Amino acid sequence: MDKKTRWYKEAIIYQIYPFSFMDGNNDGMGDIEGIIQKLDYLKNLGITAIWFSPLYDSPNKDYGYDIRDYRKIAEAFGTMDDFKTLLDECHKREIKVIMDMVVNHTSNEHEWFKKAMEDENSPYRDYYIIRKGIKKGNKLLPPNNWKSTFTGSAWERIKDTDDFYLHLFTIEQPDLNWENENVREEIIDILNFYLSMGVDGFRFDVFNLFSKVEGLPSDKRLFAFPKGGNYYIDGPRIHEFLHELNTKALSLYDSMSVGESMMPNEEDALKYIDESSAELDTLFNFAHMTSDNLFGLKYLKKKFNLKEFKDGFFKPQEKYYENGWNTLVIENHDNPRCISRFGIDTKNYRYEAATFIPTILYMGFGTPYIYEGQEFGMINNEFSSLDELMDPVSHFIYNIAKKIPSSKKWKLNTVLYGARDHARVPVAWDDSINGGFNKGTTPWMKVSTTYKEINAKKDLESDKSVYKYYQRIIDIKKTNKTIIYGKTQEYSHNNKKVIAYTRTLDDSKYFIVGNFSNKPVEYKVPDDLVNLTKVISNYDDTNYSNGTISFRPYEAIVFEAKNS
């Protein structure tokens, strides 16, 4: 019997990247102790759930996304007892807990993989995807031409044997063999281990890569990214696998699930979250976040295109309205800070842009996600050398850039344009040493270079507080049924400066509109929207008269449209 109440539809979810949130024991690394210290700060913000990036035991080749032991908490973060305390403290504050679940792959230090490598006759050998190489003359080539997202070939040779194992990400992240029923049962046991403990849900990492096409054929396409992706993205058994997880674990509790996917096709994306499919509850949609990326690749810079942003923002709201549920996200641990991109004039309008974004974003159809530091307007960091970047992807991209004749500065700037490191610097809590992240021990990565000017304490004391504006936006999102459940209709799609839409439920209607530029803009309100009453704006006053709004830079307004 399905025990889900669909509580996520009215949730406000906050993401914590544990390495960088708060260092409670002053060892340089964020931890559970530090998280507990800040729970009241999060409760006051208005959030109702926390998604924790991986807290599990890991060698940290991909900073937690290479899991060594799913039933153990990383020592740097604490113990399992500490996690249970965190769970209790969250629940005391009516904050639900969502765990990151990384089960496309494990760490190569996981006990399953170590046993698989020790004995070629071990049953754990079939827990992973291991194939014979192809002999060509004196060379032993990988089993196919698939490429890793991070490291070139997706295959790593096993010592001096003819065998290779598949890793779609780093060499230290071998892919699990989901065709093996024992693997699926192990994963189901892990889910139930945490659900029975009281965990409220999971974020599934790259879930649509679980199922690979039988035979693992080479990719014959000339220009393909990722190479081989047509044989493992939205694979043939993926819906079956997800339904099994739901039937044997997720639906047995009042849980929620959100999936991170890689380039899913539209038909599969809808099926993943269609309530009748009984697979996942929600899916992250990132298309709007590629509107300043060439070919959708975040390290390739292009001029921000608002129409592309609108397409990515509005299409999921329309597509998922009847049978699914949407997510509203603009920042996470994998992307640069939102107000340092999209052509935003951060130098002159940081507050205006930092409050424009949640107004336009979170009034839409779907569950809001807020990333640590976003709520007081953290911006991209200043990095002066590659050595300051901790993310293995940054180093991989730099190595690619090295093949292009260019200056070191150009290579570094290419990496920095899309670097995940920007989002992973320690949160700046105040203007004390290390931005208040700890009591003085050198943090695991470079602290924010702007922590003296941009930090939570200073923001809370400011007359123009981003945090306090987020509180107001969150309150509307939590309490207004039209803003939660209403249907979205876009307006003015071809306008290159203004984004506008309505949310309608029964006789109630709201008009959300904003100027996504650093220049004044005159905007004529659509004729069918009359009797507009301001609900909230990120400026103190509103220049609206005779059906026209005189927008200032990054001004956003929510109106109630009352019947005439």
Side-chain angles (χ1 to χ4, degrees), residues 212-272:
K212 279 76 172 177
V213 169
E214 186 177 356
L216 311 180
S218 282
D219 190 343
K220 303 298 184 183
R221 298 173 297 170
L222 287 178
F223 303 102
F225 180 83
K227 194 73 168 180
N230 51 331
Y231 296 118
Y232 60 76
I233 292 174
D234 304 321
R237 298 185 67 190
I238 184 61
H239 295 288
E240 173 192 344
F241 293 159
L242 293 174
H243 185 72
E244 184 177 7
L245 296 187
N246 188 69
T247 301
K248 295 182 178 179
L250 302 174
S251 67
L252 304 181
Y253 298 84
D254 186 17
S255 72
M256 71 83 69
S257 56
V258 58
E260 181 219 27
S261 58
M262 179 185 285
M263 301 163 60
N265 72 60
E266 290 193 9
E267 183 179 344
D268 282 302
L270 181 56
K271 189 174 181 182
Y272 291 138

Side-chain angles (χ1 to χ4, degrees), residues 3 73 103 149 160 172 174 180 185 262 274 282 438 507 538 561:
K3 294 187 176 181
I73 299 299
V103 285
T149 304
D160 58 354
E172 297 86 3
N180 185 337
E185 288 299 327
M262 179 185 285
D274 189 318
T282 56
N438 62 18
D507 294 331
N538 61 341

Side-chain angles (χ1 to χ4, degrees), residues 412-453:
L412 182 61
N413 286 341
T414 297
V415 173
L416 292 179
Y417 184 71
R420 306 191 300 182
D421 303 82
H422 291 298
R424 300 180 180 191
V425 299
V427 172
W429 294 105
D430 56 40
D431 62 1
S432 65
I433 188 168
N434 296 331
F437 171 68
N438 62 18
K439 300 299 183 183
T441 299
T442 301
W444 72 284
M445 80 171 296
K446 183 178 181 178
V447 299
S448 167
T449 48
T450 58
Y451 78 80
K452 291 285 188 181
E453 296 78 35

Side-chain angles (χ1 to χ4, degrees), residues 276-304:
S276 65
S277 299
E279 295 179 14
L280 298 178
D281 295 316
T282 56
L283 183 73
F284 283 130
N285 297 290
F286 299 134
H288 58 296
M289 294 169 64
T290 65
S291 52
D292 58 351
N293 301 139
L294 193 62
F295 308 124
L297 302 176
K298 64 183 177 183
Y299 295 93
L300 299 183
K301 183 177 182 178
K302 78 166 187 180
K303 185 178 179 182
F304 172 60

Side-chain angles (χ1 to χ4, degrees), residues 349 352 356 514-522 534 537-544 549-557:
Y349 299 105
E352 290 79 8
F356 168 90
N515 171 20
F516 209 147
S517 81
N518 65 347
K519 297 287 192 289
V521 171
E522 295 289 309
K534 185 177 78 170
S537 171
N538 61 341
Y539 278 76
D540 291 336
D541 58 342
T542 301
N543 299 320
Y544 168 57
I549 302 171
S550 298
F551 276 120
R552 289 154 291 191
Y554 305 107
E555 182 173 4
I557 312 168

Side-chain angles (χ1 to χ4, degrees), residues 45 72 113 150 157 233-234 241 255 351 382 385 415 420 483 521:
L45 179 62
K72 182 181 179 182
F113 191 75
F150 291 179
R157 189 174 180 181
I233 292 174
D234 304 321
F241 293 159
S255 72
Y351 169 81
E382 294 179 13
S385 72
V415 173
R420 306 191 300 182
I483 297 298
V521 171

